[in-house]
Amino acid sequence: MKADQPSYSAERVAMMRAAHRSFDDPTVFDDPLALRILGPDAVDRLERTKPFARSPPIAGLRAWLAARSRFAEDELALARERGIRQYIVLGAGLDTFAYRQPPGVSPMEVFEVDHPATQEWKLLRLREGGIGIPPTVHFVATDFERGDLGRILETGGFRRDAPAFVSWLGVTMYLTRPAIDRTTDLFASLAPGSGVVLDYFAEGAENPLERVARGLLAERVALSGEPFRSWLPVGALARELEGRGFHDVLDLGADEVNQRYFADRSDGLKVVSRVGRLVRAVR
């Protein structure tokens, strides 16, 4: 991404979460802060997208983004049941979990990790949206391609001796393979009991029509300064995590995601593309 600009994709993902809440019933993932964090013109912007909301490519992408957030927060809830109280959000963008933690429970320490320009923009969006920042939120600025993530997290108050849950969504496809490997190395250094959820683009998974659509999307994000850099073989990251000491590893594609979250819907909402995959692993 461009060094002095916030992430285009972070804003787009938040708009899709807001659209899912507004246009789809029932919701798979409900983010009541998605619209507020987008700014005062978000309602008008969302309304302008309504005529295209049911087109298969747009609805399919919206389904994918809702499903991956639901999957991550379902796994986070299980991690909380295991006693985990540290949550690392890599590539936090406009994620709102830290500002809507369930009432009546001890809040998790949330470490939001992102590019400095994106974090500055998010802080502005939080202030202008009237969304309070709890003391349990820690902003950790880094460049995934160059920064020492483990050291920077510790500087931000992260405890390496205590287990953590990590979500790493919408990031791997923008990174080089060495940066991905450095991050999975960090996962392997987490305390026993830690868990991770991530997504990636599967190499060669798309059909010819999807290849054309992916090419158009790749051109669009490249123009915004955020080119796609990595497509990985199906199962490669799962196997690497197992080799780094993780167990209970799960690698889900579109069929499994649709069965979990979109079965028997009357509106036909479902994940269409087979490019995105979700991985869960426990250390």
Side-chain angles (χ1 to χ4, degrees):
M1 64 179 291
K2 297 178 180 177
D4 59 345
Q5 295 182 11
S7 169
Y8 159 81
S9 62
E11 184 173 38
R12 188 165 182 253
V13 168
M15 183 60 76
M16 284 287 189
R17 290 200 305 268
H20 178 57
R21 191 169 199 257
S22 298
F23 302 152
D24 301 320
D25 184 23
T27 55
V28 168
F29 179 76
D30 187 21
D31 183 352
L33 297 180
L35 207 55
R36 280 175 62 187
I37 203 170
L38 281 163
D41 65 340
V43 173
D44 290 339
R45 290 162 56 199
L46 184 64
E47 190 62 26
R48 289 197 294 271
T49 71
K50 195 171 185 178
F52 316 103
R54 294 300 168 195
S55 69
I58 299 299
L61 177 58
R62 192 168 68 247
W64 167 252
L65 296 175
R68 76 178 189 184
S69 292
R70 168 70 178 274
F71 183 67
E73 293 200 13
D74 282 352
E75 292 296 325
L76 175 62
L78 294 174
R80 178 192 285 276
E81 291 177 4
R82 298 197 303 269
I84 291 178
R85 290 296 178 266
Q86 296 187 112
Y87 180 31
I88 304 171
V89 190
L90 298 180
L94 295 180
D95 185 88
T96 65
F97 171 82
Y99 317 98
R100 52 176 172 80
Q101 292 204 54
V105 298
S106 176
M108 300 192 78
E109 297 287 327
V110 181
F111 299 85
E112 294 199 358
V113 182
D114 218 325
H115 191 274
T118 298
Q119 286 201 332
E120 290 177 11
W121 168 67
K122 181 173 189 174
L123 288 167
L124 176 63
R125 296 268 53 83
L126 289 168
R127 287 196 299 271
E128 292 187 348
I131 301 170
I133 302 174
T136 49
V137 182
H138 311 270
F139 294 97
V140 181
T142 192
D143 181 333
F144 288 102
E145 289 289 341
R146 300 178 182 87
D148 183 343
L149 184 55
R151 179 186 60 79
I152 294 169
L153 278 168
E154 289 179 341
T155 301
F158 177 69
R159 291 181 50 200
R160 292 286 283 269
D161 62 337
F165 183 81
V166 184
S167 69
W168 195 25
L169 301 178
V171 180
T172 60
M173 56 288 301
Y174 297 104
L175 299 181
T176 61
R177 189 57 202 260
I180 293 172
D181 290 342
R182 285 195 299 274
T183 306
T184 54
D185 284 342
L186 171 68
F187 298 162
S189 73
L190 296 174
S194 296
V196 59
V197 163
L198 60 89
D199 68 335
Y200 68 97
F201 281 173
E203 194 174 66
E206 69 272 45
N207 60 40
L209 182 60
E210 287 177 332
R211 273 195 293 275
V212 173
R214 189 187 77 177
L216 294 173
L217 178 60
E219 288 180 10
R220 183 176 180 181
V221 298
L223 288 172
S224 73
E226 302 174 29
F228 294 143
R229 290 175 171 166
S230 290
W231 289 264
L232 305 173
V234 173
L237 278 178
R239 290 189 294 272
E240 290 173 19
L241 289 169
E242 287 176 334
R244 284 168 164 82
F246 282 80
H247 61 90
D248 203 14
V249 179
L250 195 62
D251 189 326
L252 302 177
D255 291 343
E256 295 93 341
V257 169
N258 284 331
Q259 185 60 41
R260 277 187 177 222
Y261 301 120
F262 300 102
D264 303 319
R265 289 183 68 100
S266 60
D267 60 1
L269 185 69
K270 65 178 181 179
V271 177
V272 176
S273 172
R274 296 181 179 276
V275 173
R277 295 189 68 88
L278 286 167
V279 174
R280 184 274 321 278
V282 178
R283 179 162 163 70

